[in-house]
Amino acid sequence: MPLIGQGRNLFDDTPVNGETEKGISSNWAFDHAANKDAHHLVFVDRGDPLDYDFHVTDFTTDNAIRDLSLATIIPTGAIAALLQLRAQADAAYKLLKLLKKGDTAGINASVLITQVAYVLVDSPMIITLDSNRNISYQFEAATWAVINLTVRGWFI
């Protein structure tokens, strides 16, 4: 229906790239939502793994930034991973960081901090993958009773 005095439709029912003059109709939005190929990012739920993917003995905890490959779990083409990190240390305020490989400042890192000694902490984290499906980690020196990392899924 034209807006009074303007003589044109306000909504466009035809899916067009770059439309800047008309709003998108609810009919177009419904069709778009029903078309899985129209979406540019898809989350793949890994399911229910039987064990953690990485354990405390798989990591070096010396506060250095180190690389971790997820290529045996995550398929080619994935751009980010949803990870679950669990940890327990002998001291409070010990840090574990997960970050995109190549990032070094730590500003864009996902951080897990032990709040109390010998208490388990747990957090989901989304980390950008490099083209080889690698990430980096930086774990503070401590006596870690638990460090478990699980890939929950990925984004393609």
Side-chain angles (χ1 to χ4, degrees):
M1 167 185 290
L3 185 63
I4 296 174
Q6 292 195 350
R8 63 184 176 102
N9 270 339
L10 291 179
F11 297 102
D12 185 359
D13 204 29
T14 306
V16 228
N17 185 25
E19 174 61 66
T20 59
E21 298 295 319
K22 297 179 182 178
I24 297 170
S25 73
S26 61
N27 186 46
W28 183 91
F30 177 82
D31 291 343
H32 180 77
N35 179 1
K36 69 178 181 94
D37 295 329
H39 302 278
H40 305 286
L41 189 64
V42 174
F43 176 73
V44 178
D45 185 337
R46 182 177 178 202
D48 191 14
L50 297 175
D51 192 10
Y52 300 107
D53 296 309
F54 301 93
H55 300 84
V56 67
T57 55
D58 296 318
F59 300 103
T60 302
T61 57
D62 60 359
N63 208 39
I65 296 176
R66 300 186 175 274
D67 295 338
L68 181 67
S69 175
L70 304 176
T72 59
I73 303 163
I74 298 175
T76 303
I79 60 168
L82 173 60
L83 307 173
Q84 191 75 26
L85 182 61
R86 302 169 49 99
Q88 180 182 338
D90 65 341
Y93 306 112
K94 292 297 180 177
L95 275 72
L96 299 105
K97 294 180 185 178
L98 297 179
L99 53 158
K100 178 183 176 183
K101 183 177 176 181
D103 287 358
T104 57
I107 302 300
N108 198 22
S110 292
V111 179
L112 186 65
I113 302 171
T114 61
Q115 298 171 357
V116 179
Y118 304 107
V119 173
L120 190 67
V121 290
D122 188 33
S123 179
M125 301 176 172
I126 296 176
I127 308 297
T128 302
L129 303 169
D130 74 358
S131 60
N132 294 315
R133 294 151 302 172
N134 295 315
I135 63 169
S136 292
Y137 71 91
Q138 182 180 20
F139 295 166
E140 231 176 1
T143 301
W144 293 96
V146 174
I147 301 176
N148 294 324
L149 184 67
T150 303
V151 175
R152 294 176 58 185
W154 49 87
F155 297 88
I156 294 184

